[in-house]
Amino acid sequence: MTHPLHALEERILDEIALARHIGVRAREYTGAQLVLAAPLAANSNHHGTAFGGSLFSLAVLAAWGLLGLKLAERGVAGEIVIQQSRVQYRKPVTADFYARCFAPESDDLDKLVQTLERRGRGRIALIATIEQDGRTAVELEGTFAVVRRA
Amino acid sequence: MTHPLHALEERILDEIALARHIGVRAREYTGAQLVLAAPLAANSNHHGTAFGGSLFSLAVLAAWGLLGLKLAERGVAGEIVIQQSRVQYRKPVTADFYARCFAPESDDLDKLVQTLERRGRGRIALIATIEQDGRTAVELEGTFAVVRRA
């Protein structure tokens, strides 16, 4: 069986055309958090810092990927799409970067799974961050809608 | 003299590595609004709809570009970076897409220019939308910081 981290990376690169150009790599999955990585060079602007759209994209993919993995662990398959988000850019990103998404509270996941079983659709909020030198450079809060696959 | 729309497109494609892969085109600039375009194929996910990160990127670039053009018309050169944004995805985008940013009120631009002259830095909020079939599919509200170039 393929490791879920490798399967996730393949899925992202296969399904999302832009992800190859961003250079998305799935770096770590512990069950409690997912870390994706991307190189600065492919995502830089003329200041030599990372483009805000690239940072947003990696953070969204970390949240999307984490939620897919957590649902799969509970035997639920669903289509996950972003509905809304807020993003704060606190400092420029000047090196290869990582987006980290922590798993939601177990209770919140339970509620989502129950709602999916009852109604076929649900939603959940997730936070993903991009860190540099141990400090948060970008913080994204997103609401994701899930439609259960039959 | 190069038309400002062509100069903007060249600048985006030269300065932002990912913009070539998104396929950004500068489509229209009237003084009151800027429209950028991108093809669906380069930005699709496996549902055949546009990836949220691509939509966000084009909307941010429309706001960033519009603000640069409006400041240039007032003889002000500045570095413009996004500080924060909210984005709402209202419906999936299923075709080549356009991001539109309307110029801020003239009074708001006047205030920004005065602040830049006095303090060297300022900020302004802008709204950019992605429309499909005459309806708003995505709405982005962003706050941009400007640092005046000497």
Side-chain angles (χ1 to χ4, degrees), chain B:
Chain B
M1 193 175 143
T2 315
H3 188 282
L5 191 64
H6 298 153
L8 175 66
E9 182 176 300
E10 276 180 26
R11 198 179 155 200
I12 290 174
L13 296 176
D14 283 350
E15 294 187 358
I16 296 163
L18 200 64
R20 284 189 185 274
H21 298 298
I22 293 172
V24 178
R25 290 288 171 265
R27 200 46 72 87
E28 183 188 19
Y29 177 59
T30 64
Q33 59 176 283
L34 172 67
V35 179
L36 302 183
L40 178 63
N43 296 289
S44 64
N45 57 32
H46 68 299
H47 300 297
T49 62
F51 168 49
S54 293
L55 296 167
F56 179 91
S57 295
L58 198 71
V60 164
L61 288 172
W64 178 86
L66 184 281
L67 183 54
L69 291 170
K70 296 313 293 179
L71 289 176
E73 287 166 9
R74 289 159 189 249
V76 176
E79 301 295 340
I80 301 166
V81 295
I82 187 162
Q83 278 197 323
Q84 59 183 346
S85 80
R86 289 183 188 204
V87 58
Q88 291 216 317
Y89 297 91
R90 296 193 179 153
K91 44 184 246 167
V93 170
T94 57
D96 296 349
F97 51 96
Y98 301 85
R100 183 186 309 272
C101 182
F102 285 97
E105 297 291 326
S106 192
D107 282 359
D108 292 339
L109 269 173
D110 289 343
K111 275 183 212 155
L112 174 62
V113 169
Q114 284 159 19
T115 306
L116 288 172
E117 282 167 353
R118 217 166 44 230
R119 296 186 200 158
R121 57 181 63 226
R123 67 168 79 177
I124 194 164
L126 294 167
I127 291 173
T129 57
I130 289 177
E131 288 146 51
Q132 184 171 268
D133 303 331
R135 281 163 48 184
T136 299
V138 180
E139 182 169 344
L140 177 140
E141 187 188 333
T143 304
F144 291 80
V146 186
V147 176
R148 194 179 184 192
R149 275 200 298 265

Side-chain angles (χ1 to χ4, degrees), chain A residues 57-117:
Chain A
S57 294
L58 198 71
V60 164
L61 288 171
W64 178 86
L66 183 283
L67 183 55
L69 291 169
K70 296 313 291 179
L71 289 176
E73 286 166 10
R74 288 161 188 250
V76 177
E79 301 295 339
I80 301 167
V81 296
I82 186 161
Q83 277 196 324
Q84 58 183 348
S85 80
R86 288 183 188 205
V87 57
Q88 291 216 316
Y89 297 91
R90 296 192 179 154
K91 43 184 248 168
V93 171
T94 57
D96 295 349
F97 51 97
Y98 302 85
R100 183 185 310 271
C101 182
F102 286 97
E105 296 293 327
S106 193
D107 282 359
D108 291 338
L109 270 174
D110 289 343
K111 275 183 215 157
L112 174 61
V113 169
Q114 285 160 19
T115 306
L116 288 172
E117 282 166 355

Side-chain angles (χ1 to χ4, degrees), chain A residues 2 9 16 21 42 49 51 68 71 96 104 107 117 124 128 130 148:
Chain A
T2 314
E9 182 176 300
I16 295 164
H21 297 298
T49 60
F51 168 50
L71 289 176
D96 295 349
D107 282 359
E117 282 166 355
I124 194 165
I130 289 176
R148 194 178 184 193

